[in-house]
Amino acid sequence: EPLSEVTAVSVVNFYAGRRYGVAAKVKVPDRPNTASMNAVIVQCGPTGTTLTDRPLAALMEPPHVAAVVDASVGYWTNIVGRPNRLRFRLRTTTAVRATGALIVRGPPGYIGAPKCTAISTDPSTDTRMQQVREQLAEYEDLLFLQGTREQALGKDSPEYFAITLEVTSKLDALITEVKAMWEERQAALALPLDMGCFFQVDTLVQPFTQITLQVGLANLDVDARLGEFARQYAPELFPEEQRFEAWLPVSLYEFEVEVTNPTMVQSNDEQEILTGSGSVQSNVAPQGCGFERCWEFATYAAPYAERSLADRAAVSKGLAIVTQMTEGVMADLTAAQQYAIGRNDRPRQPNQVVFLFTLNRTIREDAPPTSPPVVGQSLPITQTLVVRGPQGYDFEEDCTVLIEVADVFGAPALWPPELGLTTWTPETGAVTMCDGVGNIATITIVGFVGLVPGKRYAFRIDIRSNPVTTPWRNYWAIEFYGQKHYDDLGNIIGKRHAEASEPFLGFEQWTFSDVLVVPQTTERSSNNPSAANGGMIVNPVTTLFTTYNAVPADGGVLRLQAPRQIRWLPEDQAGAYVAAGGGGPCIAEVLEQPAELPVLAMAVKEAGSLGVSFWAPLEANCSVHPIFENILHVRLVGDRGLRPRARYALVAKVVNPTVELAAGTFELSSLRPSSFASAANALETGLEGLELLDVVEVDGFPITKGLSDLTVVPATGAPEARGGEVNAIRVTAAFVEPIFPGDVLTFEAPPFYMLRIPEDQAETIFMRKKCLWVLNRSKPGVLPDQVLRCFVGIDCVLRLVGSALGVASAVQLHRAERQCGGLPGQGIDIRRTHADLSESSVSKEYTLGNGFDAGSFRICYCHGDGPCTEHKDFCQEAGMLTIVDLCEGITCPLVHDQCKTRCDFRTGYCIEPPLPPVDAPMGTECSLSNGAGACFLGQCVEPGQGQQSGQGSQSSAGNSSTATAAVAVTLASCAFDEFECSDRLLTWVVGHEGYQRNAPIYVEVDAMHPGSVPPEDNLFTMVHMRDDGIRGSRVVSAYGIQPQFAMVAISLTGALIAGGALSEIELQLIPVQPASSVWLRGKEPIGFDFSQAVVPVNGTVLSALDDTIEIAAVLTPPHLLRMLIQNVRLPPQGGEGSFD
């Protein structure tokens, strides 16, 4: 019977819908299950011997076994006494909170800094962490300075306000950097940065090396503060239960620790695993990994002082410590040798590499150098070579090693006699096995003589796959393990010799770096013949890349292959589209980044664009492949090619397909003419005689749905907007999918537009994300910021405008300082009133009645999609209502009736006799015989006896709700849009009930417009997103900008300032666009006369008539132009001057 099975026999029946259970003790395995699926199968029903007799079953996943798994140890070098970096990799099963620990134990003899550092295996993460440390220190210094200024000068001082703005800006930037750093470290499998690292060397009591990595006890205080900062300002990075203190989350980790190798040679041969040898023992070096040298990994629950295991320990093979090999290098091959052996240094490609090495010794460590290679029996000698490549290389599992003269360099004629190589004969040994595991190849050599010390050998080995990019630690090493020595009885004598080469530099990948594919739009094409270009979406695509190899000017080619559904656009040099099919010529730009970019280009990049329009163009011819239209050939012509390690851009147009697609892969390659290339082995048609150089694959872009409509115009209705001013943008959009609550719409303006409030007005980080102004005119309900007035004594009727205003809608009043959706304030008559009957859905009237005192109130609106019975239902703000008393302070003839008045509250004028007085405003205090009363329809009545006119409920509200619901339900009209702006990008989280498919949405957005048309990406973009996926997008050209001067100043500088005098004026201006003349007109006072004017320097008068003059001048932005205009006749009447 299987030990993992338990049977429980019931004496009663099992009934449907009831819960049953079985309890039994179980022995938890030492390691997680890997031999079968991790599941528990429960079978219920009559006792039976077959599955068919047990018809009911359930599959459940058991808890994970609390043990460290996937543990391994790597190293930089294993030469005795050398500085080394040990690389540790492990996966935890249980999260460990602060004061818990990860413990790593290893063989004795290693030396490290007492306060060590757990280094990330990706150096860029450590570089970024150092930068973030510095940024945190700068932020903390600013905080201290802010506190000092607050104490010394107070919060109202300009100095405190200025430092607060700086603190806010620094905090915003620091949060962004900390998030990026944290995510990069997680992707690099790095340990949390607020873990301490403590290195303990072996002692008599503790005969092993120990590295203690304690959670939450960082070696550097700045790292502890960074951890606290991340948990406070970026809590979304952590599970909810880990947001209040440091944790070691469950994950796969990889890190390195700098050590010095032991000073004595240590072998690491296989040995038998003894029972119980894998458990943690406090006074014994790690064992149980199947080799002499083991490393052990375990986690301990908090606090570590209690030594309570969180995850059971795992053990991994360690490393031998060996002497240094005389030589180990990678052969530098000629072009002919590379071609002959099939050398291919391109990413992810199979490769052939030749290594050279010279041994220092081969016999066992304790034997004299003159001892014979074999002691005892005349057996073949077995020796081992290990080739260790950088991370990312992958050897074939059954790798091939070539040692013959005819094979190593591709042909006997290519054998290099100048290298002094020793011929590898059959007596030397044959390669009997090559075992590849990742970046390590183990080669077994068997022969009667064996490899001889002092001789230089060469061999070739195949690599299944190069890495994607050049590894950051691009070093190889060769290790040698000599034969084992036996006595006459076959027992092993001594320790076999082992040695290793110094790590030597490998080759760089022939690939482009920093590659980026940037489309102008992701909108799919349509088959609509009435649309522009017949529904074809022409998409300019910019590919940025940095070369590794040079590409010659005459004959060099760039090849860019798009995903198969995307085709490049054939067009002639005039820009006319060529019919689809059969390829043909195209238009492409190859641009080289200059050593120094102009100031405007840097500004464009800072605004979020690429800035490639400022790069230097290279001459090139473009063609689309005649069969495969997703392949583009760009052939360099002229006298300029691509330089190595330089930055370039390739801009060409594609036709987006008519279907939605996930982001595909683009392949960019470069080629050059070569004598080794022939038509027979050409990559494809059109590339005959060319040799492949750099190759890279890079993620492209998705193809998404479009929008039904997107129109962006100035809100003024003009075809252009004035530059350098805040103007409203009117956006009309309709979407091909419904817009649901919670969907995200983004609206991006061209460079140099500014949608958020200026930094000098943003006192907090939240205000820095506040938009200048956004109005959604399509949201069901009332428009905000309406200004209304009513008058004391007259019925107050509010005429509100909005969208889809309902017949069941209502309004109520709040105190001016109280927000809608909350309590209205103490002692206020809320005048809750429903809409008057009308058919209009864009305008409704609400009759509040009269009896108001003068004052200001906030108007709060309930849309009517709920009962409008609670204060929270009145969540939409309509604006402010001002009640004006026109009779306040007006003295009119007295009237004996206390509820009459001779002041006409409609005009504020007195009503003179013999005209009768009018009724006093309702609610005016009056006196009754039995006490105080209130005026109602001209009569003094008991308070509350009268009822104000109008439809509204006149109940007075304090700070308690007028009704209480059993379940709090947020009305759709109260689910507000959320708008957030960052420079040129508006992010809109949709509230309320969303929008129907193809329903137009009208939005107005305020933006500070640039002084002139942006030089690049002058486009508006709208994107519809749901769950981080794009549901639709569209890009449209931006409207024009009327350029404005950055600065204009006109001053009267002449000595004569009397009216009608001839004098001189000074004109100063800073242009935003180059120009060749200045036009000036004197508007006020009337009477300027430029007919006699002269310009002595910086200009020449082109024309002058009455109050208008045009002057030829050179205007160069952003330089100041200053000129004097003499002999100007001043207006006869004085006054402040005004000019166009």
Side-chain angles (χ1 to χ4, degrees), residues 906-1066:
R906 296 169 297 182
T907 63
Y909 295 116
C910 293
I911 303 173
E912 300 294 339
L915 295 176
V918 295
D919 293 342
M922 290 186 184
T924 301
E925 293 181 358
C926 57
S927 299
L928 296 171
S929 58
N930 58 350
C935 292
F936 176 70
L937 299 179
Q939 302 293 323
C940 187
V941 299
E942 293 284 347
Q945 179 180 345
Q947 181 179 1
Q948 292 99 339
S949 62
Q951 297 176 337
S953 166
Q954 310 301 324
S955 61
S956 179
N959 279 333
S960 60
S961 177
T962 59
T964 303
V967 179
V969 178
T970 300
L971 302 179
S973 58
C974 294
F976 293 107
D977 296 319
E978 296 178 13
F979 298 104
E980 189 175 283
C981 289
S982 58
D983 293 349
R984 53 191 275 207
L985 181 68
L986 164 67
T987 302
W988 171 9
V989 180
V990 177
H992 51 90
E993 295 180 334
Y995 302 95
Q996 296 295 322
R997 176 177 178 268
N998 293 326
I1001 300 175
Y1002 305 98
V1003 182
E1004 289 186 7
V1005 183
D1006 268 6
M1008 170 61 76
H1009 286 62
S1012 60
V1013 174
E1016 189 171 302
D1017 293 340
N1018 190 32
L1019 305 163
F1020 287 105
T1021 304
M1022 176 75 85
V1023 178
H1024 172 207
M1025 302 183 68
R1026 183 182 304 137
D1027 300 329
D1028 296 327
I1030 298 177
R1031 309 303 303 170
S1033 67
R1034 177 158 291 183
V1035 176
V1036 295
S1037 297
Y1039 47 76
I1041 298 289
Q1042 295 176 353
Q1044 308 293 307
F1045 291 109
M1047 186 278 287
V1048 177
I1050 300 176
S1051 56
L1052 180 62
T1053 57
L1056 301 178
I1057 61 174
L1062 277 178
S1063 190
E1064 69 177 23
I1065 61 176
E1066 183 183 55

Side-chain angles (χ1 to χ4, degrees), residues 629-883:
E629 292 183 283
N630 63 321
I631 297 177
L632 185 76
H633 294 166
V634 179
R635 190 176 300 271
L636 300 175
V637 297
D639 57 357
R640 292 177 58 199
L642 307 188
R643 298 179 294 110
R645 303 184 188 278
R647 190 73 170 155
Y648 294 91
L650 171 59
V651 184
K653 298 174 184 175
V654 301
V655 177
N656 287 354
T658 58
V659 295
E660 295 179 73
L661 298 172
T665 300
F666 282 73
E667 181 184 272
L668 175 66
S669 53
S670 58
L671 303 96
R672 67 184 174 194
S674 172
S675 59
F676 296 105
S678 63
N681 59 11
L683 184 64
E684 63 197 22
T685 302
L687 302 179
E688 293 81 4
L690 298 178
E691 173 192 10
L692 192 62
L693 296 173
D694 300 347
V695 178
V696 71
E697 290 184 352
V698 61
D699 289 338
F701 49 89
I703 299 298
T704 65
K705 294 177 181 177
L707 270 63
S708 301
D709 177 52
L710 178 62
T711 305
V712 184
V713 297
T716 60
E720 295 182 332
R722 291 172 61 89
E725 298 180 358
V726 175
N727 297 298
I729 302 172
R730 182 171 297 155
V731 182
T732 303
F735 297 84
V736 297
E737 282 193 5
I739 307 294
F740 297 122
D743 284 7
V744 176
L745 304 179
T746 62
F747 174 73
E748 185 175 35
F752 306 126
Y753 281 67
M754 180 61 69
L755 305 182
R756 64 175 174 83
I757 64 173
E759 289 189 10
D760 58 358
Q761 299 177 21
E763 298 183 13
T764 67
I765 183 174
F766 304 104
M767 290 187 66
R768 290 198 66 200
K769 298 178 180 179
K770 185 176 180 181
C771 304
L772 285 169
W773 185 73
V774 181
L775 175 60
N776 177 10
R777 292 188 174 274
S778 301
K779 181 186 188 306
V782 69
L783 294 181
D785 302 325
Q786 299 183 55
V787 178
L788 297 103
R789 297 179 68 188
C790 285
F791 300 93
V792 172
I794 302 177
D795 278 355
C796 182
V797 180
L798 303 182
R799 181 186 293 274
L800 300 180
V801 295
S803 174
L805 298 177
V807 294
S809 61
V811 297
Q812 71 177 30
L813 301 182
H814 284 210
R815 289 189 179 277
E817 69 275 9
R818 291 297 185 99
Q819 299 299 315
C820 295
L823 298 175
Q826 290 283 357
I828 181 175
D829 188 349
I830 63 174
R831 297 294 179 100
R832 185 172 291 167
T833 305
H834 286 274
D836 296 342
L837 296 178
S838 72
E839 295 181 357
S840 174
S841 62
V842 296
S843 176
K844 292 288 185 184
E845 292 186 350
Y846 303 83
T847 303
L848 303 187
N850 55 29
F852 288 99
D853 292 329
S856 294
F857 304 90
R858 191 179 302 275
I859 308 169
C860 298
Y861 170 86
C862 173
H863 190 54
D865 50 345
C868 295
T869 57
E870 298 188 60
H871 296 315
K872 68 180 181 64
D873 299 337
F874 292 80
C875 55
Q876 294 190 21
E877 180 176 325
M880 299 299 295
L881 169 65
T882 302
I883 306 295

